Amino acid sequence: MTETATFTGPVFTPDDAGYQQEIAGFQTAYAHRPALVAGAVHTEDVRAAVEYAARHRLPLAVQATGHGLSVAVDGGVLVTTGRMNAITVDPDKRTARVGAGVRAGALVEAAAAHGLAPLNGSSPSVGVVGYVLGGGLGLLGREFGYAADHVRSIELVTADGRVRTLGPADELFAAVLGTGGNFGVVTALELDLVPVTEIYGGQLLFDTPLVDTVLDTWRQWSATVPEEITSTVAVLTFPDIPPVPQPLRGRHVASIRVASTLPAEEAERLIAPLRAIGDRLRDDLRTMPYTESHTVHSDPDFPHAYAATNALLADLTPEAVAALRAQTAPGGPVDAVIDIRHLGGALRRGAASIGHRDAEYIVRVITDAGAGDAAPDALDTVRKALAPWTIGHSLNFLYGAGAAAGPEQTAAGYPPADFDRLRALKTKYDPYGMFRANRTIPRV
């Protein structure tokens, strides 16, 4: 990138030592293959990389951690933002300003020092900015809403190389939040923190004979709880590999995960019907400091290959559950992790560009992408099975070739009027489609 003297971070081409390490991310099924990697250190580096891409009419992708990689860039420019990891907490305003490379765990720790917490998700190694740009469905989502609805300001480099500071009055502000990097490179966010220092939460893990009972009980129970309880249920078969504890290897199980700000006694009373399902392989529900909130889901913390799709449902009917189990139960056609999250509550309210807020549940289907072409077929099978109850899709949980990256899938993420508005803004601010290594909003 010799044409841009202002770039101060490291630059890599495919023949350079360090290139492979720079493009590596959490997703290992596929990766960006750029002609040029710009390791940004600050906002001016990002601006310089965008100007370079614009000058040569190249696509530009952004990667902090690689968790949310949906569409890999082939050629063009990749901006890596992991070095932009500054965090500033303002305890009086209850806000934090985070650089583009800040990870959730680091923000949780920084906020906790002031008796505050971010609206983070389940994994501490996820990049904050990428998570928020996808909407930010968090551990306490039903009580506080999407993280994207709690952004105060955005520092954004648009396709024309301008550094813009956006607030709620700007026409791009709401468009940027929820669309996953369609309008530029976000170099910093100022976002709200909440006065939470501890939560009641954890997992209830049930063995194979109780899986169907767990699904039906949780389905009915979740429809009755207050907004202060956010819960999910996962159904999976543990792999028979050393990282998994010996007693769980090969078991087909259901795991209910709960996070709540209610006092422990009240939460225990509300959760009693779940414990009444039967014996648990694991029961670690407890009051915990917020810094341990990542243990509620205990997401894998090592890079691996995966593909995923999802369906947003207005209701989780017995028929929808039966259709899902017909495809994914042991002996069925699809080997996958099923993750069903209860939505509603405060998630219905907000101005960010998050479609289908009327959905009450999201069904996520995650497959091992290490088996070549099997994952796309499996995901398509499950999507078709759930089609009668599906009102849309969350673009933030679509990974891999099997996630149907075409424009029809992107359109399904938004109501038609919202999609038309976003297309007009895409045409205005990204006229030649620089930012297309994502669930691209097509230009008009």
Side-chain angles (χ1 to χ4, degrees), residues 10-53:
V11 176
F12 305 88
T13 65
D15 295 329
D16 291 333
Y19 173 88
Q20 293 297 333
Q21 181 177 355
E22 192 72 11
I23 66 172
F26 193 81
Q27 168 69 273
T28 64
Y30 51 99
H32 293 298
R33 295 292 173 187
L36 190 73
V37 186
V41 175
H42 47 62
T43 299
E44 181 60 25
D45 286 344
V46 175
R47 191 199 62 75
V50 169
E51 282 194 339
Y52 178 87

Side-chain angles (χ1 to χ4, degrees), residues 51-431:
E51 282 194 339
Y52 178 87
R55 187 179 304 118
H56 297 282
R57 288 293 190 265
L58 298 172
L60 184 142
V62 184
Q63 179 167 289
T65 67
H67 280 75
L69 176 59
S70 58
V71 177
V73 70
D74 185 12
V77 178
L78 173 66
V79 176
T80 56
T81 60
R83 297 170 181 83
M84 300 174 66
N85 56 9
I87 303 173
T88 304
V89 175
D90 186 329
D92 295 326
K93 291 171 58 181
R94 292 181 181 172
T95 61
R97 179 180 171 85
V98 297
V102 170
R103 295 177 181 245
L107 180 57
V108 168
E109 293 288 345
H114 302 278
L116 300 168
L119 298 177
N120 56 288
S122 56
S123 172
S125 62
V126 164
V128 173
V129 167
Y131 161 79
V132 172
L133 293 185
L137 177 57
L139 290 171
L140 301 174
R142 282 176 41 79
E143 180 173 0
F144 295 107
Y146 288 101
D149 292 321
H150 291 269
V151 173
R152 300 277 188 97
S153 68
I154 305 167
E155 185 177 86
L156 178 76
V157 181
T158 45
D160 57 4
R162 285 183 56 189
V163 179
R164 304 168 188 257
T165 299
L166 306 177
D170 294 290
E171 68 172 352
L172 264 183
F173 183 80
V176 168
L177 299 169
T179 56
N182 261 278
F183 294 98
V185 183
V186 171
T187 51
L189 292 175
E190 182 186 10
L191 40 80
D192 291 329
L193 303 174
V194 294
V196 173
T197 59
E198 61 182 25
I199 60 171
Y200 178 88
Q203 294 189 31
L204 301 173
L205 186 66
F206 298 88
D207 206 356
T208 309
L210 293 174
V211 168
D212 289 312
T213 302
V214 168
L215 285 169
D216 190 57
T217 303
W218 179 83
R219 179 186 67 80
Q220 297 181 64
W221 171 85
S222 62
T224 70
V225 297
E227 293 182 4
E228 291 84 1
I229 290 183
T230 301
S231 67
T232 70
V233 62
V235 178
L236 68 153
T237 300
F238 279 112
D240 187 6
I241 57 175
V244 177
Q246 183 66 48
L248 296 179
R249 294 181 190 176
R251 285 185 183 270
H252 183 69
V253 301
S255 173
I256 298 174
R257 292 80 64 91
V258 176
S260 175
T261 59
L262 291 172
E265 289 185 5
E266 186 176 356
E268 289 275 358
R269 178 181 61 80
L270 291 168
I271 287 162
L274 302 179
R275 283 202 169 108
I277 292 170
D279 293 337
R280 280 86 65 193
L281 296 170
R282 174 180 176 182
D283 182 342
D284 64 4
L285 290 173
R286 68 198 189 279
T287 298
M288 67 179 77
Y290 196 79
T291 51
E292 296 179 10
S293 61
H294 61 279
T295 65
V296 171
H297 284 249
S298 297
D299 284 356
D301 60 359
F302 53 89
H304 58 283
Y306 51 95
T309 191
N310 67 81
L312 289 164
L313 310 181
D315 189 19
L316 188 64
T317 66
E319 293 78 12
V321 174
L324 183 64
R325 289 291 284 162
Q327 300 301 321
T328 59
V334 178
D335 181 15
V337 175
I338 306 302
D339 177 41
I340 308 175
R341 303 192 175 199
H342 187 202
L343 305 177
L347 295 165
R348 293 194 180 96
R349 307 183 286 272
S353 296
I354 298 166
H356 307 295
R357 289 179 184 262
D358 54 334
E360 194 69 20
Y361 297 89
I362 181 170
V363 178
R364 301 175 61 215
V365 183
I366 305 135
T367 62
D368 179 4
D373 295 332
D377 293 340
L379 296 177
D380 188 55
T381 296
V382 178
R383 274 197 304 273
K384 289 178 179 176
L386 290 175
W389 303 277
T390 299
I391 63 173
H393 302 279
S394 170
L395 303 183
N396 201 40
F397 294 122
L398 295 172
Y399 310 119
E408 69 287 342
Q409 185 73 63
T410 303
Y414 307 97
D418 291 348
F419 192 56
D420 289 345
R421 174 179 57 84
L422 292 170
R423 290 188 66 193
L425 290 172
K426 179 74 169 178
T427 304
K428 178 179 179 180
Y429 287 98
D430 188 14

